[in-house]
Coordinates of all heavy atoms in Angstrom, one line a residue:
Y1 N 0.8 -1.2 0.0 CA 0.0 0.0 0.0 C 0.8 1.3 0.0 O 0.6 2.2 -0.7 CB -0.9 0.0 1.2 CG -1.8 -1.2 1.3 CD1 -1.6 -2.2 2.2 CD2 -2.8 -1.4 0.3 CE1 -2.4 -3.3 2.2 CE2 -3.6 -2.5 0.3 CZ -3.4 -3.5 1.3 OH -4.2 -4.6 1.3
K2 N 1.9 1.2 0.8 CA 2.8 2.4 0.9 C 3.4 2.8 -0.4 O 3.3 3.9 -0.9 CB 3.9 2.1 2.0 CG 4.9 3.1 2.2 CD 5.9 2.7 3.2 CE 7.0 3.7 3.5 NZ 7.9 3.2 4.5
E3 N 4.0 1.8 -1.1 CA 4.7 2.1 -2.3 C 3.7 2.4 -3.4 O 4.0 3.3 -4.2 CB 5.6 0.9 -2.7 CG 6.5 1.2 -3.9 CD 7.5 0.1 -4.2 OE1 7.5 -0.9 -3.5 OE2 8.2 0.3 -5.2
V4 N 2.6 1.7 -3.5 CA 1.6 2.0 -4.6 C 1.1 3.5 -4.4 O 1.1 4.2 -5.4 CB 0.5 1.0 -4.5 CG1 -0.7 1.5 -5.4 CG2 1.0 -0.3 -5.0
F5 N 0.8 3.9 -3.2 CA 0.4 5.2 -2.9 C 1.4 6.3 -3.3 O 1.1 7.3 -4.0 CB 0.0 5.4 -1.5 CG -0.7 6.7 -1.2 CD1 -2.0 6.9 -1.4 CD2 0.1 7.8 -0.7 CE1 -2.7 8.1 -1.1 CE2 -0.5 9.0 -0.5 CZ -1.9 9.2 -0.7
Q6 N 2.7 6.0 -2.9 CA 3.7 6.9 -3.2 C 4.0 7.0 -4.7 O 4.2 8.1 -5.3 CB 5.0 6.5 -2.5 CG 5.0 6.8 -1.0 CD 6.2 6.3 -0.3 OE1 6.9 5.4 -0.8 NE2 6.5 6.9 0.8
L7 N 4.0 5.9 -5.4 CA 4.2 5.9 -6.9 C 3.1 6.7 -7.6 O 3.3 7.4 -8.5 CB 4.2 4.5 -7.4 CG 5.5 3.7 -7.1 CD1 5.3 2.2 -7.5 CD2 6.7 4.3 -7.7
R8 N 1.8 6.5 -7.1 CA 0.7 7.2 -7.7 C 0.7 8.7 -7.4 O 0.6 9.5 -8.3 CB -0.6 6.6 -7.2 CG -1.9 7.2 -7.8 CD -2.0 7.0 -9.3 NE -3.2 7.6 -9.8 CZ -3.4 7.8 -11.1 NH1 -2.6 7.3 -12.0 NH2 -4.5 8.4 -11.4
I9 N 0.9 9.1 -6.2 CA 0.8 10.5 -5.8 C 2.1 11.2 -6.1 O 2.1 12.3 -6.7 CB 0.4 10.6 -4.3 CG1 -0.9 10.0 -4.0 CG2 0.5 12.1 -3.8 CD1 -2.1 10.6 -4.8
F10 N 3.2 10.7 -5.6 CA 4.5 11.5 -5.7 C 5.2 11.2 -7.0 O 5.8 12.1 -7.6 CB 5.4 11.1 -4.5 CG 4.8 11.4 -3.2 CD1 4.8 10.5 -2.2 CD2 4.3 12.7 -2.9 CE1 4.2 10.7 -1.0 CE2 3.7 13.0 -1.7 CZ 3.7 12.0 -0.7
G11 N 5.1 10.0 -7.5 CA 5.7 9.6 -8.7 C 4.8 9.9 -9.9 O 5.3 9.9 -11.1
E12 N 3.5 10.2 -9.7 CA 2.5 10.5 -10.7 C 2.5 9.5 -11.8 O 2.4 9.8 -13.0 CB 2.8 11.9 -11.3 CG 2.6 13.0 -10.3 CD 2.8 14.4 -10.9 OE1 3.4 14.5 -12.0 OE2 2.4 15.3 -10.2
L13 N 2.6 8.2 -11.4 CA 2.6 7.1 -12.4 C 1.2 6.7 -12.6 O 0.3 6.8 -11.8 CB 3.4 5.9 -11.9 CG 4.9 6.1 -11.8 CD1 5.5 4.8 -11.3 CD2 5.5 6.5 -13.1
S14 N 0.9 6.1 -13.8 CA -0.4 5.6 -14.1 C -0.6 4.3 -13.5 O 0.4 3.6 -13.1 CB -0.5 5.4 -15.7 OG 0.3 4.4 -16.1
F15 N -1.8 3.8 -13.3 CA -2.1 2.5 -12.7 C -1.5 1.4 -13.6 O -1.0 0.4 -13.0 CB -3.6 2.3 -12.5 CG -4.2 3.2 -11.5 CD1 -5.1 4.2 -11.8 CD2 -3.8 3.1 -10.1 CE1 -5.6 5.0 -10.8 CE2 -4.3 3.9 -9.1 CZ -5.2 4.8 -9.5
I16 N -1.5 1.6 -14.9 CA -0.9 0.6 -15.7 C 0.6 0.4 -15.4 O 1.1 -0.7 -15.2 CB -1.0 0.9 -17.2 CG1 -2.5 0.9 -17.6 CG2 -0.2 0.1 -18.1 CD1 -2.8 1.4 -19.0
N17 N 1.3 1.5 -15.3 CA 2.8 1.5 -14.9 C 3.0 0.9 -13.5 O 4.0 0.2 -13.3 CB 3.4 2.9 -15.1 CG 3.5 3.3 -16.5 OD1 3.5 2.5 -17.4 ND2 3.6 4.7 -16.7
I18 N 2.2 1.3 -12.6 CA 2.3 0.7 -11.2 C 2.1 -0.8 -11.3 O 2.9 -1.5 -10.7 CB 1.3 1.4 -10.3 CG1 1.7 2.9 -10.1 CG2 1.3 0.7 -8.9 CD1 0.7 3.7 -9.4
G19 N 1.1 -1.2 -12.0 CA 0.8 -2.6 -12.1 C 2.0 -3.4 -12.7 O 2.4 -4.4 -12.3
N20 N 2.6 -2.7 -13.8 CA 3.8 -3.3 -14.4 C 5.0 -3.4 -13.5 O 5.7 -4.4 -13.5 CB 4.2 -2.5 -15.7 CG 3.2 -2.7 -16.8 OD1 2.5 -3.7 -16.9 ND2 3.2 -1.7 -17.7
I21 N 5.2 -2.4 -12.6 CA 6.3 -2.4 -11.7 C 6.2 -3.6 -10.7 O 7.2 -4.3 -10.4 CB 6.3 -1.1 -10.9 CG1 6.8 0.0 -11.8 CG2 7.2 -1.3 -9.6 CD1 6.7 1.4 -11.2
F22 N 5.0 -3.9 -10.3 CA 4.7 -5.0 -9.4 C 4.5 -6.4 -10.1 O 4.3 -7.4 -9.4 CB 3.5 -4.7 -8.5 CG 3.9 -3.7 -7.4 CD1 3.7 -2.4 -7.6 CD2 4.3 -4.2 -6.2 CE1 4.0 -1.5 -6.6 CE2 4.6 -3.3 -5.1 CZ 4.5 -1.9 -5.4
G23 N 4.4 -6.3 -11.4 CA 4.1 -7.5 -12.2 C 2.7 -8.0 -12.0 O 2.3 -9.2 -12.0
K24 N 1.8 -7.0 -11.8 CA 0.4 -7.2 -11.6 C -0.4 -6.5 -12.6 O 0.1 -5.9 -13.5 CB 0.0 -6.7 -10.2 CG 0.8 -7.2 -9.0 CD 0.3 -8.6 -8.6 CE 1.1 -9.0 -7.3 NZ 0.7 -10.2 -6.8
T25 N -1.7 -6.5 -12.5 CA -2.6 -5.9 -13.5 C -2.9 -4.4 -13.1 O -2.7 -4.0 -11.9 CB -4.0 -6.6 -13.5 OG1 -4.6 -6.5 -12.3 CG2 -3.8 -8.1 -13.9
E26 N -3.4 -3.7 -14.0 CA -3.8 -2.3 -13.8 C -4.9 -2.3 -12.7 O -4.9 -1.4 -11.8 CB -4.4 -1.7 -15.1 CG -5.0 -0.3 -14.9 CD -5.6 0.3 -16.1 OE1 -5.6 -0.4 -17.2 OE2 -6.2 1.4 -16.0
N27 N -5.8 -3.2 -12.8 CA -6.9 -3.3 -11.8 C -6.4 -3.5 -10.4 O -6.8 -2.9 -9.4 CB -7.9 -4.4 -12.1 CG -9.2 -4.3 -11.3 OD1 -9.7 -3.2 -11.1 ND2 -9.7 -5.4 -10.8
W28 N -5.3 -4.4 -10.2 CA -4.7 -4.6 -8.9 C -4.2 -3.3 -8.4 O -4.3 -3.0 -7.2 CB -3.6 -5.7 -9.1 CG -2.8 -5.9 -7.8 CD1 -3.1 -6.7 -6.8 CD2 -1.7 -5.1 -7.4 NE1 -2.2 -6.6 -5.8 CE2 -1.3 -5.6 -6.1 CE3 -0.9 -4.1 -7.9 CZ2 -0.2 -5.1 -5.4 CZ3 0.2 -3.7 -7.2 CH2 0.5 -4.2 -6.0
A29 N -3.5 -2.5 -9.3 CA -2.9 -1.3 -8.8 C -4.0 -0.3 -8.4 O -3.9 0.4 -7.3 CB -2.1 -0.6 -10.0
R30 N -5.1 -0.2 -9.1 CA -6.2 0.6 -8.7 C -6.8 0.2 -7.3 O -7.0 1.1 -6.5 CB -7.4 0.6 -9.8 CG -7.0 1.3 -11.0 CD -8.2 1.2 -12.0 NE -7.8 1.7 -13.3 CZ -7.9 3.0 -13.6 NH1 -8.3 3.9 -12.7 NH2 -7.5 3.5 -14.8
V31 N -7.0 -1.1 -7.2 CA -7.6 -1.5 -5.9 C -6.7 -1.3 -4.7 O -7.1 -0.8 -3.7 CB -8.0 -3.0 -6.0 CG1 -8.3 -3.6 -4.7 CG2 -9.1 -3.2 -7.0

């Protein structure tokens, strides 16, 4: 949760990119 929030807010990454970083789906990143 911590890293996903930081990537989204501070890193301004899209959910697709966040999902890719974690090897997960865009939906996983959104949830």
Side-chain angles (χ1 to χ4, degrees):
Y1 304 108
K2 176 181 181 177
E3 188 173 357
V4 168
F5 187 84
Q6 288 177 335
L7 289 171
R8 179 67 181 167
I9 298 301
F10 303 126
E12 296 182 344
L13 294 180
S14 68
F15 289 116
I16 292 171
N17 290 338
I18 294 170
N20 288 337
I21 288 171
F22 283 90
K24 306 277 185 177
T25 65
E26 174 186 357
N27 192 44
W28 175 88
R30 288 180 184 278
V31 169

